[in-house]
């Protein structure tokens, strides 16, 4: 026996194959397959489902579109039918198949800003990068739709903004693969955990943590938390992934990141952001942000090799929060509690002095606003939960410099 290699046909060769196949498809499903449907399928073929090949990929799309047209008792297969099939197969919104960023992205800054408070410049920089990379002028459709590095002190909204992106683009903040790089500091073991062990080794059939999830959800946000803690061999693995848009897993198969957005968070240079804060830890603006950026860039040069930095599309800086911004975040958390109480015919009033006390106790330079939620849990939600059956109206006040939860209405029977 002799091995015969069958090369994948070009787009033009596939076009001739489809024209020859069209009469059979039309006869099988009693529909008319328009030229625009074939042209759309061929135009989109290099962009989506990279693990499949021509002509099988476009034949499958057109076959599915013809079946749907027959079921719906429509006699023509149009371009929009093929777009719906590609949208379903690639798990992307229909309006993003042609990478039309007009309507979807016109209010991206406002929508992200509602969820991530106090980071207007970071949201603006991210929005511009997404419009560019998600738009029709993206350089290379094989590359990820964005490779971004989020820098700033802890607890200022880096992870929250990544969740907001997943919700904005894919409709669910859970459409995200989150990997804590502090668990991947050992070179060879780390690589095997992410991409799977080589074929022939016990456990290789399980695959890798990253590659398995990418196969199941190619359109996703990939979040690498604390990237500076990753081993150098793992950073080398990402060089190809960020440049070519795919990773070879332990079994030798390609896994694509071309429809993913890669976000890395890091606390590198956090000490420079302290220069922006007052003794209480809130942002005071005593130094210009441009000077801080220069200091952080020098720290990045020391931490990451140039070939890794060159593959990053954009670096987004997050600033420490001001008192007003922390207050706004606290009000957002309290509004969530109030909404839950309303569904149970209960109410909550937080007096201004209690709100200020929550802000002072809930924010620190060491933990950022992450500790604020914990304080609200202890001072607001816990007392409400303990008196849930006996009180219908609650009021948070300050007595003896302590937040106290009082009953604001009659006791429940």
């Amino acid at each position: 026996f002799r091995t015969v290699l069958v090369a994948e046909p070009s787009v033009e060769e596939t076009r001739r194959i489809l024209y020859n196949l069209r009469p059979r498809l039309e006869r099988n499903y009693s529909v008319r397959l328009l030229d625009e449907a074939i042209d759309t399928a061929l135009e989109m073929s290099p962009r989506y489902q990279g693990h499949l090949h021509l002509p099988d990929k476009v034949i499958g799309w057109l076959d599915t579109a013809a079946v749907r047209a027959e079921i719906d008792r429509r006699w023509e297969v149009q371009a929009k039918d093929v777009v719906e099939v590609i949208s379903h197969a690639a798990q992307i919104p229909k309006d993003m198949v042609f990478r039309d960023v007009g309507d979807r992205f016109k209010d991206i800054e406002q929508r992200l800003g509602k969820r991530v408070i106090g980071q207007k410049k970071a949201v603006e920089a991210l929005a511009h990068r997404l419009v560019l990379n998600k738009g029709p002028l993206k350089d290379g459709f094989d590359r990820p739709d964005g490779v971004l590095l989020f820098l700033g002190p802890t607890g200022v909204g880096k992870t929250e903004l990544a969740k907001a992106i997943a919700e904005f683009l894919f409709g669910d903040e859970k459409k995200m693969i989150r990997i804590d790089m502090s668990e991947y500091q050992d070179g060879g073991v780390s690589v095997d955990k992410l991409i799977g062990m080589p074929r022939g080794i016990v456990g290789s059939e399980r695959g890798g943590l990253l590659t398995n999830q990418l196969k199941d959800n190619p359109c996703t946000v990939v979040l690498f938390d604390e990237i500076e803690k990753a081993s150098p061999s793992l950073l080398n693995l990402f060089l190809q992934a960020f440049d070519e848009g795919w990773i070879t897993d332990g079994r030798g198969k390609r896994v694509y990141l071309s429809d993913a957005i890669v976000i890395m968070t890091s606390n590198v240079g956090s000490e420079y952001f302290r220069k922006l804060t007052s003794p209480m830890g809130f942002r005071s603006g005593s130094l210009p942000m441009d000077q801080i950026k220069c200091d952080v860039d020098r720290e990045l040069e020391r931490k990451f090799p140039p070939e890794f930095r060159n593959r990053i599309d954009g670096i987004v800086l997050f600033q420490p929060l001001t008192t007003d911004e922390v207050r706004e975040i606290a009000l957002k958390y309290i509004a969530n509690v109030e909404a839950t109480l309303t569904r149970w015919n209960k109410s909550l009033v937080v007096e201004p002095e209690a709100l200020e006390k929550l802000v002072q106790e809930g924010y620190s330079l060491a933990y950022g606003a992450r500790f604020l939620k914990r304080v609200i849990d202890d001072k607001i939600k816990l007392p409400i939960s303990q008196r849930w059956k006996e009180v219908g109206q609650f009021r948070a006040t300050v007595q003896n410099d302590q937040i106290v939860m009082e009953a604001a209405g009659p006791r429940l029977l």
Side-chain angles (χ1 to χ4, degrees):
F1 294 95
R2 179 176 296 177
T3 301
V4 178
L5 298 178
V6 181
E8 180 181 17
S10 66
V11 172
E12 288 305 315
E13 289 172 339
T14 304
R15 189 186 303 276
R16 293 197 296 270
I17 293 173
L18 293 176
Y19 282 155
N20 291 328
L21 187 63
R22 174 159 57 180
R24 187 189 307 174
L25 288 173
E26 293 178 336
R27 192 167 53 249
N28 287 347
Y29 300 112
S30 300
V31 296
R32 184 173 172 228
L33 192 60
L34 299 182
D35 287 349
E36 66 178 42
I38 294 177
D39 292 340
T40 299
L42 289 171
E43 182 183 352
M44 297 297 109
S45 62
R47 303 187 187 183
Y48 301 110
Q49 294 192 286
H51 62 286
L52 301 178
H53 302 284
L54 297 176
D56 179 69
K57 176 163 51 177
V58 292
I59 292 174
W61 291 345
L62 294 173
D63 186 77
T64 303
V67 170
R68 291 184 176 182
E70 182 188 32
I71 292 174
D72 296 338
R73 297 184 181 279
R74 290 183 288 106
W75 312 120
E76 289 184 342
V77 178
Q78 302 174 355
K80 65 179 182 180
D81 300 313
V82 177
V83 169
E84 289 184 1
V85 172
I86 295 174
S87 170
H88 178 76
Q91 302 178 34
I92 57 176
K94 286 190 293 185
D95 60 333
M96 290 306 298
V97 172
F98 281 104
R99 310 186 76 85
D100 180 7
V101 296
D103 292 335
R104 173 175 284 270
F105 284 78
K106 64 182 180 181
D107 59 346
I108 179 174
E109 292 182 34
Q110 292 79 5
R111 291 176 62 179
L112 295 179
K114 288 181 180 179
R115 180 158 179 175
V116 182
I117 296 169
Q119 302 296 343
K120 184 177 180 180
K121 291 185 178 180
V123 168
E124 180 181 352
L126 174 63
H128 291 171
R129 179 55 57 179
L130 287 179
V131 170
L132 179 62
N133 284 356
K134 278 291 187 181
L137 298 180
K138 174 188 175 183
D139 291 332
F141 291 107
D142 293 333
R143 297 188 72 247
D145 277 336
V147 179
L148 304 165
L149 178 61
F150 287 1
L151 292 178
T154 185
V156 295
K158 298 191 295 293
T159 302
E160 186 68 16
L161 185 54
K163 292 180 180 179
I165 295 169
E167 184 180 29
F168 174 80
L169 290 177
F170 310 121
D172 188 354
E173 69 172 38
K174 295 181 181 178
K175 291 276 287 188
M176 181 171 69
I177 301 171
R178 183 176 180 179
I179 298 176
D180 188 348
M181 301 313 293
S182 62
E183 302 175 8
Y184 297 87
Q185 302 184 42
D186 185 2
V189 175
S190 298
V191 173
D192 289 343
K193 285 170 66 177
L194 284 184
I195 69 173
M197 289 180 286
R199 188 187 299 272
I201 296 179
V202 176
S204 63
E205 69 281 354
R206 292 195 298 267
L209 179 63
L210 174 61
T211 52
N212 282 352
Q213 294 185 81
L214 277 174
K215 289 176 184 176
D216 295 336
N217 298 290
C219 294
T220 186
V221 173
V222 181
L223 177 63
F224 296 117
D225 258 336
E226 299 185 283
I227 189 66
E228 74 276 6
K229 297 181 180 178
S231 67
S233 58
L234 207 53
L235 294 181
N236 291 334
L237 173 69
F238 293 149
L239 295 181
Q240 175 182 297
F242 296 166
D243 199 31
E244 302 294 334
W246 50 267
I247 299 176
T248 303
D249 67 10
R251 300 174 67 85
K253 294 184 178 181
R254 287 186 179 183
V255 181
Y256 291 85
L257 293 90
S258 51
D259 293 317
I261 295 174
V262 179
I263 295 176
M264 300 170 285
T265 69
S266 175
N267 296 325
V268 168
S270 292
E271 63 274 12
Y272 297 111
F273 289 97
R274 294 192 181 98
K275 299 177 183 178
L276 292 172
T277 61
S278 64
M280 292 294 293
F282 298 104
R283 188 170 80 241
S284 61
S286 57
L287 281 179
M289 194 63 184
D290 291 342
Q291 178 61 47
I292 301 299
K293 186 177 185 303
C294 292
D295 294 336
V296 172
D297 286 341
R298 286 196 297 269
E299 188 68 22
L300 284 177
E301 291 177 2
R302 288 194 291 267
K303 186 63 182 177
F304 298 111
E307 60 271 18
F308 182 80
R309 298 195 311 272
N310 287 341
R311 285 166 171 81
I312 298 174
D313 292 330
I315 298 174
V316 182
L317 296 181
F318 287 71
Q319 304 181 64
L321 300 171
T322 64
T323 309
D324 290 339
E325 290 162 354
V326 176
R327 186 183 298 110
E328 190 175 349
I329 295 172
L331 288 172
K332 181 181 175 183
Y333 286 146
I334 292 171
N336 292 336
V337 177
E338 291 173 341
T340 302
L341 289 172
T342 301
R343 291 196 295 268
W344 290 90
N345 295 320
K346 297 176 182 290
S347 64
L348 169 65
V349 175
V350 178
E351 298 292 346
E353 61 270 18
L355 177 62
E356 294 305 314
K357 189 68 174 175
L358 288 172
V359 171
Q360 294 298 327
E361 292 186 5
Y363 182 81
S364 69
L365 188 59
Y367 299 102
R370 185 174 288 117
F371 195 64
L372 178 63
K373 186 176 184 301
R374 205 174 309 166
V375 171
I376 291 176
D377 286 346
D378 293 340
K379 304 296 184 180
I380 302 294
K381 297 173 71 173
L382 178 59
I384 291 177
S385 300
Q386 291 172 334
R387 306 180 65 183
W388 182 260
K389 290 187 176 182
E390 62 181 74
V391 179
Q393 297 173 315
F394 298 90
R395 178 186 289 111
T397 63
V398 176
Q399 297 179 11
N400 299 324
D401 203 35
Q402 296 293 324
I403 298 175
V404 177
M405 187 65 64
E406 297 178 340
R411 294 171 61 90
L412 298 178
L413 297 179

